[in-house]
Structures are given as structure tokens and as C-alpha cells.
Amino acid sequence: QMPPVESGGGLVQPGGSLRLSCAASGYTFDRLAMAWFRQAPGKDREFVAATVLHGYHTNTAASVKGRFAISRDDAKKTVYLQMNNLKPEDTGVYYCSASDSLEALNGVGFGPWGQGTQVTVSS
């Protein structure tokens, strides 16, 4: 299956905001968990946030809790990541993916991976 397509990244100053989008056409979207992951230079890919059950349940990594929010629009087969109060350590490539695992809220079972979208937080 083709991976979702991410967009919305860019260069932003510390304290700024970005909204990432991820289009997952061709997926049985409303039956799947969707999540965002990120990969900083020289580091492993890490879980950021996930949403299941039409957005009724979400989980957000401790490192971004209170600053990032995941949401989804099942009609548009799109998942979003609103990122506020960005910090330099948020820099990296952001990926979204889908999972049908019962443990998806913990970042389990996601793939395949697309190209991602680059987020750079720097003054």
C-alpha cells in the first residue's frame, strides 16, 4: 500500500507554530489508527502522537504534551499535527503512518513510511 503523503513543514523560529497535514487516500481511513513520528539527525525515529476511533482517543509523547495536538478528518482521509511553542529540539523529519494494531496508541504497528516533511526550528 502506498504510504501517506505529509506536508506543511518548514523553517520556524523558536516559539513559533506549524500545522502538518497527512493525506492517506486509498486507505480504509476511519478504521485505522493514524500517528505522527519524527526523526532527528543521527537519532532513531520516535513516536509523537496517535489518534484512533475517529479522534475520540489520542496519545501524545511526553516531550511534546501540551504543545502538540493531533487531529483527524475522516471525510478527507487526513490527519493533522498542530505544533505550538516549537523548540530547536523539535527539529527533524516528521512522518505519518497508519496502523490496525490494538496497541496503536502506543506507537505499535505503523508503516509503511513516506518521504516525510522537514521541520526546522531555528533562530
Side-chain angles (χ1 to χ4, degrees):
Q1 192 165 26
M2 294 295 289
V5 178
E6 305 91 344
S7 62
L11 173 64
V12 62
Q13 293 186 343
S17 297
L18 281 175
R19 189 193 194 206
L20 306 183
S21 299
C22 170
S25 59
Y27 283 65
T28 310
F29 189 82
D30 59 348
R31 298 185 180 184
L32 294 170
M34 297 297 297
W36 287 95
F37 290 73
R38 68 185 181 186
Q39 187 167 20
K43 295 187 177 181
D44 293 334
R45 183 180 288 137
E46 65 172 355
F47 170 80
V48 175
T51 173
V52 301
L53 293 177
H54 311 294
Y56 292 146
H57 297 288
T58 63
N59 185 31
T60 307
S63 59
V64 302
K65 194 177 293 289
R67 300 187 298 120
F68 290 13
I70 188 170
S71 61
R72 62 192 290 163
D73 185 330
D74 287 355
K76 295 181 178 180
K77 296 190 176 183
T78 300
V79 62
Y80 305 97
L81 186 67
Q82 178 66 45
M83 306 186 294
N84 299 324
N85 190 22
L86 282 158
K87 303 176 180 181
E89 52 264 41
D90 295 318
T91 294
V93 180
Y94 283 69
Y95 303 89
C96 76
S97 190
S99 171
D100 61 2
S101 169
L102 294 178
E103 298 183 51
L105 273 179
N106 294 320
V108 174
F110 286 89
W113 305 100
Q115 296 296 314
T117 185
Q118 176 71 45
V119 172
T120 303
V121 185
S122 175
S123 55

